[in-house]
Amino acid sequence: MSVLPGNPTSLAERSASYVSSASLIQQAADDLRAIAYDSTARSMDVIRDRSAEVARDLDRAHERYSGTARALVEYAVALKAAHERADDAEIAEARANAGGATAEYELLVSERRLEQLEEADAPAGNLRTAASEVEAARARNARMDAAADAARIELDAARQDMERAAQIAIDRIDSAIDGTNEGFWDKVKNFLDDVGDFLATIAQWVGDFLADVYAELQRLVSTLVALLGVAVILLLVYALLAMIPVIGPAIAALVTTVLAGFLLASVLSDVGKPTPSVDQRDLTDHEAGDDPGQPSDLSGALADAGFVDTLGRTYDADGEVTGVEETVVGVTRVVDADGVVRWRVALPSTQEWLSRLNGDQGGVHDLDSNLALVLTPSLRSQYERAVIEAMQQAGVGPNDPVMLVGFSQGGIMAGTLAAYNRDYNWSAVVAAGAPIDHMPIPSSVQVVSVQHDGDPVPHLDSVVTLGLDGQARQQPNWTTIQTESPRADEGLHGIHSADAYDQTLQNRVGMVPAGTTDDLDAYFTGDDNAYGYQQRYYGWSE
């Protein structure tokens, strides 16, 4: 039993339990954060928010337990050292007291002997020897007294060590608890924060409302400009036909009216239909056999677009394509090591060109939706509405970064979403052979547009918008790769080709600024920080 109070061993064990509790609390907080990271479906919003809130509460509890545990661990160490110092001092004092008692007895004996010799008038030599023994006994006695005093001083010092360590531990525990307690001013601050959050929510709502209004105005203006362009083109067609003697004004007017009716019927046929029923689907054996696998970086992005072009088709007994019964998009979820979720959405190009003549086959990525996207962006096409539905089913969060990838009509769809839709956090567009240069895509979106020399499709926006901002763009957020097609010798079929554009991006990705490439590589599984991915496909028919 130590002379000092307290049990260092018991305290160390209790401190270890606090450390263990702190560790468990921290693990629980981390697990709840994992739920917040991993749960991206909108149906999980409440759970995710509550998980984050509880994680913050656990953080505060962890601070208390962790701070208390650290203080107790340090105090246990200091208490053990003080006990050992006090125990050593107690032993030293006992030894000094025992030695002092012996020295005092020897002093009494030597003094008595000297007195006896003096009374007996002993020889001088005997008296000197006896006197020396007395002095030696007194010196030993003084040393023992000094050693006992030093031991008592050491014991007092040990007590002071213990008291200082206790006060330090108390102060640290108070700090750990007070640091996570809400005092009066904390509550006032929290109230003001709540008021500020409320006002910020109102401000955000107003801002979002105005932004939505602005986006709709942009859609409307783009639609009016496109329709004006079409009207001018139709007038030019009429004028040219009317100048031909064998045709004349009447037939020219009839042809122009039929052409205008065809365009109007195509657009209304698409935008007037309800949103298709979207469902997750598995690849067929035929489709799975053509799957190129996951692209590892930006250079392979257009492989996604080329692959979804091949989905939803029907085949005859000889393996020849007989129709396109379904529109299919690919939605890829990429999670990095920090829990950040990014998405890639691959959009197919036009696969049905004669829907006005031989009836719709089923896929909405046809001529009708193509015309609707180009001519009337303010009237949302079936294609756009179905893509948004597919993203909702996939669990894309409104703030999750999204990359849109598409060739031809798929590129138009990507640009339309990034320019006019505010449902999601569009962060990147990779488009090939698509007329998107005129679109008001925000500067916050990184755009990589690949265009082949001699491909008329990317220049359609210049025709429809009467040349208003329809030229290839090179801006900090926008890179246009303008080059010859690797399959140019095949004519227009080789120039406007998904496979050819895929090859071009792989060969020319170095034209994209290094910083942009680094940012966009994060959407692919080959990125150093990529943790995992999930690939899903969604399909629909009209």
Side-chain angles (χ1 to χ4, degrees):
M1 187 70 177
S2 174
V3 66
L4 295 184
N7 188 333
T9 301
S10 176
L11 180 59
E13 293 174 353
R14 180 61 60 86
S15 301
S17 69
Y18 272 87
V19 172
S20 177
S21 297
S23 177
L24 292 174
I25 291 171
Q26 185 63 63
Q27 182 61 51
D30 291 342
D31 290 344
L32 286 170
R33 286 193 186 86
I35 293 176
Y37 278 133
D38 294 339
S39 302
T40 58
R42 289 188 175 183
S43 61
M44 294 291 289
D45 282 349
V46 175
I47 295 176
R48 181 170 61 252
D49 293 342
R50 184 56 179 162
S51 297
E53 180 182 347
V54 175
R56 288 192 295 270
D57 292 339
L58 288 176
D59 279 337
R60 288 192 289 270
H62 173 261
E63 291 176 16
R64 296 186 182 188
Y65 270 83
S66 180
T68 300
R70 286 195 301 269
L72 291 177
V73 168
E74 294 176 5
Y75 179 55
V77 173
L79 181 61
K80 182 179 179 182
H83 272 230
E84 291 175 349
R85 186 177 183 182
D87 292 345
D88 292 342
E90 185 180 23
I91 293 172
E93 183 182 12
R95 289 175 177 173
N97 288 335
T102 301
E104 186 175 358
Y105 174 75
E106 291 176 351
L107 176 59
L108 291 174
V109 171
S110 60
E111 286 178 341
R112 179 59 180 162
R113 181 182 179 192
L114 178 58
E115 290 175 357
Q116 290 175 347
L117 290 174
E118 287 177 344
E119 291 174 355
D121 196 17
N126 291 345
L127 290 174
R128 284 194 298 271
T129 299
S132 296
E133 291 175 353
V134 170
E135 292 302 321
R138 286 175 178 168
R140 285 195 299 274
N141 192 41
R143 287 197 300 273
M144 292 299 102
D145 288 342
D149 290 340
R152 284 189 287 272
I153 292 173
E154 184 71 3
L155 183 58
D156 289 338
R159 286 194 178 93
Q160 293 175 9
D161 287 347
M162 183 187 69
E163 291 171 357
R164 279 194 299 270
Q167 190 58 52
I168 291 173
I170 291 170
D171 292 342
R172 290 186 177 178
I173 292 172
D174 287 343
S175 297
I177 295 175
D178 291 343
T180 54
N181 279 341
E182 289 187 347
F184 172 76
W185 290 112
D186 292 319
K187 294 178 180 179
V188 172
K189 178 180 179 299
N190 291 337
F191 171 76
L192 295 177
D193 287 343
D194 290 340
V195 173
D197 291 341
F198 174 73
L199 295 177
T201 300
I202 294 177
Q204 182 177 358
W205 180 85
V206 173
D208 290 343
F209 173 76
L210 294 177
D212 289 338
V213 171
Y214 179 68
E216 291 303 321
L217 287 175
Q218 283 186 315
R219 281 182 182 264
L220 180 60
V221 170
S222 297
T223 299
L224 293 176
V225 170
L227 292 177
L228 179 61
V230 170
V232 171
I233 293 172
L234 291 174
L235 288 175
L236 290 174
V237 169
Y238 168 79
L240 291 173
L241 292 176
M243 291 173 60
I244 300 175
V246 296
I247 296 179
I251 297 178
L254 178 61
V255 172
T256 304
T257 301
V258 170
L259 181 58
F262 173 81
L263 294 176
L264 179 62
S266 295
V267 170
L268 294 180
S269 173
D270 184 86
V271 301
K273 292 179 179 178
T275 301
S277 176
V278 179
D279 295 297
Q280 185 178 342
R281 70 187 295 277
D282 297 325
L283 298 180
T284 65
D285 292 341
H286 190 285
E287 292 168 344
D290 295 332
D291 188 352
Q294 282 291 307
S296 60
D297 54 30
L298 175 62
S299 66
L302 291 176
D304 277 350
F307 180 56
V308 293
D309 273 356
T310 68
L311 305 180
R313 296 174 173 177
T314 56
Y315 301 85
D316 60 19
D318 297 326
E320 297 296 325
V321 177
T322 58
V324 181
E325 296 298 331
E326 189 179 22
T327 299
V328 182
V329 298
V331 182
T332 308
R333 180 177 185 257
V334 179
V335 183
D336 70 16
D338 297 325
V340 177
V341 178
R342 294 178 177 85
W343 301 82
R344 290 197 326 272
V345 180
L347 306 162
S349 66
T350 307
Q351 296 298 308
E352 183 186 349
W353 291 96
L354 302 177
S355 55
R356 289 293 91 216
L357 301 178
N358 61 0
D360 287 332
Q361 297 178 13
V364 303
H365 51 319
D366 55 15
L367 179 61
D368 292 347
S369 67
N370 220 341
L371 292 173
L373 285 171
V374 174
L375 300 181
T376 57
S378 63
L379 304 177
R380 289 172 174 79
S381 66
Q382 294 182 85
Y383 194 167
E384 177 182 351
R385 286 176 275 138
V387 169
I388 296 299
E389 174 63 26
M391 293 176 61
Q392 290 176 348
Q393 291 187 25
V396 182
N399 298 317
D400 295 341
V402 179
M403 171 187 284
L404 299 164
V405 182
F407 159 68
S408 194
Q409 185 183 10
I412 298 173
M413 184 74 263
T416 298
L417 289 171
Y420 305 116
N421 186 288
R422 297 189 67 255
D423 291 336
Y424 290 100
N425 177 25
W426 316 113
S427 295
V429 169
V430 180
I436 66 170
D437 295 320
H438 72 292
M439 294 182 178
I441 298 176
S443 60
S444 59
V445 180
Q446 291 289 341
V447 179
V448 176
S449 176
V450 189
Q451 302 180 9
H452 282 158
D453 297 336
D455 188 348
V457 177
H459 302 293
L460 288 176
D461 52 359
S462 296
V463 175
V464 174
T465 63
L466 304 178
L468 297 177
D469 193 22
Q471 303 302 315
R473 296 164 62 175
Q474 299 289 352
Q475 296 173 348
N477 73 306
W478 192 306
T479 301
T480 299
I481 300 175
Q482 182 77 49
T483 185
E484 185 179 26
S485 170
R487 293 170 50 186
D489 58 337
E490 301 177 24
L492 185 58
H493 175 73
I495 295 174
H496 189 71
S497 159
D499 291 340
Y501 273 111
D502 180 28
Q503 294 177 40
T504 295
L505 181 57
Q506 292 186 46
N507 296 337
R508 303 283 182 169
V509 73
M511 296 177 64
V512 181
T516 301
T517 302
D518 290 341
D519 290 342
L520 300 190
D521 280 349
Y523 290 81
F524 299 89
T525 58
D527 185 70
D528 291 339
N529 201 39
Y531 179 76
Y533 78 95
Q534 182 182 63
Q535 178 69 65
R536 290 178 177 173
Y537 295 95
Y538 295 85
W540 60 88
S541 301
E542 61 178 337

